[in-house]
Amino acid sequence: MTDNPIKTSVTGHILEVTLDRPKANAIDLKTSRIMGDIFTDFRDNPDLRVAIVTGAGEKFFCPGWDLKAAAGGDAVDGDYGKGGFGGLQELRGLNKPVIAAVNGICCGGGLELALSADIILAADHATFALPEIRSGTVADAASIKLPKRIPYHIAMEMLLTGRWIEVEEAARWGLINHVLPAADLMSEARKMAELLASGPPLVYAAIKEVVREAEDMKFQDAMNRITKSQFETVERLYRSDDQLEGARAFAEKRDPVWKGR
């Protein structure tokens, strides 16, 4: 097993995070804590605008919790570190886009990790499942998130039976954004990241906060919070140089230069 289970690289404003724990890229407590530190730094670093998370190799994105580590003493209710399991699941205030590039088997906590991203791209051989039911446990984050992302009855079938679905079915239910040839997955993920990195970071932050906070609110209540300047990111956007830059660029018929302030 590699000494460093997480590989990172930065290109411009884009962070790539690769889970690299042979043979299956499973996540133990140590790995989760490392991921939490990485994604917290991503959240807080103004030079980083977009993250891509993927798995090493061609077979596994991530199967979730490392059962061998659990058998060796890792407690399932142990300290996962900042952001909870995998560093993304419960990371507060993450107002930057995250892309999951699913390069293979994506199940259990691995699927929950992908669900924590904003955009999911998948290789044409990827498969998805929530097999926790077969080991007598609950896919906690997926039980909360999945019925809100895809049709309720499909989500419940996956949760209650542990059934595997192929990538085409995942796309049909809207679980993922795009199916791509495996050889093109990372190049397309980087292309998507470059597009997002060229966009207005303060607008992205406002979108993510509004979407996150409004999920369980009535429409008018959410709108009232916006008009009453009760979303910090929206208020910051409305008072920013970037909003003025957007208007100037439109009037001057040129591309805007976003500075995130």
Side-chain angles (χ1 to χ4, degrees):
M1 185 171 291
T2 57
D3 292 332
N4 186 356
I6 305 295
K7 304 294 190 296
T8 62
S9 64
V10 174
T11 303
H13 297 297
I14 301 167
L15 170 70
E16 287 189 25
V17 180
T18 304
L19 182 56
D20 187 10
R21 293 192 74 233
K23 300 178 179 179
N25 296 331
I27 296 175
D28 62 357
L29 290 178
K30 175 185 175 182
T31 302
S32 184
R33 290 193 287 265
I34 292 171
M35 295 175 77
D37 289 340
I38 289 170
F39 285 117
T40 299
D41 179 71
F42 165 68
R43 179 194 65 188
D44 298 339
N45 187 336
D47 290 330
L48 298 175
R49 297 185 180 181
V50 183
I52 301 171
V53 58
T54 191
E58 299 178 353
K59 185 174 181 180
F60 289 96
F61 170 70
C62 176
W65 179 237
D66 187 339
L67 294 178
K68 289 184 178 180
D74 265 13
V76 70
D77 59 350
D79 178 12
Y80 291 111
K82 301 170 186 174
F85 182 79
L88 277 179
Q89 199 159 269
E90 302 171 63
L91 185 59
R92 295 181 181 274
L94 179 54
N95 292 327
K96 300 175 181 181
V98 178
I99 300 167
V102 178
N103 55 300
I105 292 171
C106 178
C107 64
L111 179 50
E112 292 175 328
L113 177 64
L115 288 171
S116 299
D118 302 294
I119 294 172
I120 304 177
L121 309 180
D124 52 13
H125 66 284
T127 54
F128 304 84
L130 294 166
E132 283 86 344
I133 188 71
R134 297 173 184 173
S135 58
T137 188
V138 60
D140 45 14
S143 296
I144 297 168
K145 292 182 178 181
L146 196 62
K148 297 179 180 180
R149 307 291 180 81
I150 65 175
Y152 172 84
H153 298 97
I154 304 303
M156 292 304 291
E157 181 184 5
M158 291 182 67
L159 287 162
L160 294 173
T161 71
R163 181 174 75 88
W164 286 83
I165 64 173
E166 302 293 327
V167 70
E168 293 83 5
E169 183 178 357
R172 186 166 73 248
W173 298 126
L175 179 60
I176 62 176
N177 294 78
H178 302 288
V179 180
L180 299 163
D184 298 337
L185 177 64
M186 288 309 298
S187 62
E188 291 298 317
R190 291 172 184 133
K191 194 179 299 182
M192 175 74 75
E194 288 167 2
L195 173 64
L196 294 174
S198 69
L202 295 184
V203 177
Y204 293 155
I207 289 170
K208 287 204 63 172
E209 184 182 25
V210 169
V211 169
R212 183 175 61 246
E213 296 299 320
E215 185 174 21
D216 295 318
M217 296 174 65
K218 293 181 180 180
F219 171 79
Q220 196 59 56
D221 291 341
M223 288 299 297
N224 289 343
R225 283 194 60 183
I226 293 173
T227 57
K228 293 177 181 178
S229 302
Q230 293 177 345
F231 285 114
E232 180 182 348
T233 55
V234 176
E235 183 65 8
R236 184 183 177 198
L237 169 65
Y238 285 166
R239 299 181 184 279
S240 68
D241 292 339
D242 272 6
Q243 187 173 59
L244 294 175
E245 167 63 9
R248 291 192 196 103
F250 179 81
E252 296 167 9
K253 298 181 179 179
R254 60 174 175 81
D255 292 333
V257 179
W258 308 116
K259 297 182 179 179
R261 60 176 188 266

